Amino acid sequence: MQPIKIYKTLYSLFGPQNWWPVTDKGGTKPTYRKRKRLTEKQKLEVSFGSILTQNTSWRSVMLSIENLRKENLLGIDGIIKANPKKIAKLIRPSNYQNQKARYLKNFAKYVKKKYNGKTNDFFKKNVSDLRKELLSIKGIGQETADNMILYAAEKPSFVVDAYTKRIMERIYGEKFKSYNELKDFFVGKFPQNVKFMNEFHALLVVFAQQYCTKNNQKCRNCPLHSECAFHSRN
DNA sequence: TACCAGGTCCTCG
DNA sequence: CGAGGACATGGT
């Protein structure tokens, strides 16, 4: 089964996901809504969320984001000035709070230093350069970098996460040793446009959570059941 | 109770 | 390089 067919099947089942959830003007929490274009503030919120959601459920991350907003800390300058312990306390719900407080500061300091705090200028760069710069920041690994490129900078990039790995290894019946090996597998197999890549990744997440679970207890009603190598073997 | 959740860094071989 | 440990909360 081609990746494009996986996409079509999941899309017809779940519909558009409209990622990444962000807070609208005057709102108090991130929501999934259709939006034409992100404001600079929203791009920053997506960036922070990308870091906070590392190995953590989105539900917990929302609490952290709400906490940060209450203290007016969803901005470059705010994070730079804030005491690390204060940040850690606010983002505690999303786990690894001390580490992630550092990561947020690293990101903010980088944008401040290299782009005078203008997140928009940073995200205007071409994908290749942007990715390199993101990866140079301690706390931003490959997945977080791709995530920011796709959902904050709104440029084409394929995000590989634990869900993607699990799904693909089951469907295709082969192991992918590294992040890049899995990413390379998809090269040339689907359109390289933002909308498609945005929805594809989001759909894979929803699919993994609802059907392709770790304990494979939900295989029974799986929409990709018949074309899954894992299922065929069992 | 244990296990998992939209990873990354560091160290060691 | 790639494996293995640290990080260290909240939900089920």
Side-chain angles (χ1 to χ4, degrees):
Chain A
M1 177 164 56
Q2 289 302 306
I4 192 85
K5 188 175 179 191
I6 297 176
Y7 172 86
K8 285 182 177 173
T9 304
L10 297 181
Y11 189 90
S12 60
L13 179 62
F14 297 114
Q17 301 300 303
N18 300 310
W19 275 25
W20 183 283
V22 294
T23 308
D24 288 319
K25 200 169 185 176
T28 57
K29 62 174 62 174
T31 55
Y32 296 89
R33 278 209 210 132
K34 266 193 179 172
R35 53 188 66 72
K36 196 86 176 141
R37 197 168 138 209
L38 298 175
T39 64
E40 182 165 35
K41 220 175 167 172
Q42 289 174 323
K43 290 181 186 181
L44 205 46
E45 183 179 314
V46 174
S47 302
F48 286 6
S50 300
I51 290 172
L52 293 175
T53 199
Q54 288 167 359
N55 204 34
T56 302
S57 66
W58 176 249
R59 169 200 290 261
S60 300
V61 175
M62 281 216 300
L63 299 174
S64 298
I65 289 178
E66 289 176 51
N67 288 341
L68 288 173
R69 185 192 348 279
K70 281 179 198 159
E71 298 292 322
N72 214 9
L73 288 183
L74 279 180
I76 298 291
D77 291 326
I79 286 294
I80 289 176
K81 287 178 194 155
N83 184 312
K85 288 189 175 174
K86 178 180 182 181
I87 300 175
K89 190 177 176 184
L90 295 171
I91 65 175
R92 180 177 174 172
S94 42
N95 202 8
Y96 313 124
Q97 60 268 39
N98 299 315
Q99 200 174 65
K100 286 175 179 176
R102 262 197 320 275
Y103 293 172
L104 291 178
K105 269 184 172 290
N106 291 343
F107 174 77
K109 280 191 281 190
Y110 184 87
V111 177
K112 183 70 174 179
K113 189 172 179 182
K114 297 270 185 179
Y115 297 93
N116 196 26
K118 297 183 189 305
T119 312
N120 273 341
D121 287 350
F122 185 23
F123 287 153
K124 257 181 219 160
K125 305 209 68 159
N126 68 66
V127 172
S128 171
D129 289 341
L130 177 55
R131 193 167 194 277
K132 272 183 209 158
E133 292 190 34
L134 285 168
L135 289 174
S136 75
I137 301 169
K138 200 157 293 180
I140 299 180
Q142 310 208 69
E143 181 184 335
T144 308
D146 284 327
N147 204 75
M148 286 189 188
I149 294 168
L150 183 59
Y151 294 110
E154 301 177 289
K155 295 178 190 299
S157 192
F158 187 66
V159 181
V160 173
D161 64 355
Y163 290 149
T164 310
K165 182 170 155 66
R166 183 166 75 222
I167 293 167
M168 298 310 161
E169 288 186 342
R170 283 188 186 165
I171 290 180
Y172 295 111
E174 58 178 290
K175 291 291 181 186
F176 298 95
K177 296 197 194 312
S178 66
Y179 188 95
N180 282 326
E181 189 179 331
L182 184 46
K183 194 167 173 174
D184 290 347
F185 172 80
F186 290 99
V187 171
K189 295 185 177 167
F190 55 72
Q192 301 290 301
N193 70 69
V194 177
K195 181 58 179 167
F196 181 91
M197 295 168 115
N198 178 321
E199 288 297 342
F200 196 16
H201 176 65
L203 287 166
L204 289 175
V205 171
V206 175
F207 170 60
Q209 291 171 335
Q210 295 188 22
Y211 293 99
C212 203
T213 58
K214 197 166 210 171
N215 59 20
N216 57 262
Q217 297 294 306
K218 307 267 179 74
C219 290
R220 196 66 56 193
N221 303 311
C222 178
L224 301 176
H225 194 87
S226 61
E227 305 195 62
C228 179
F230 175 78
H231 170 250
S232 303
R233 278 204 311 275
N234 294 279

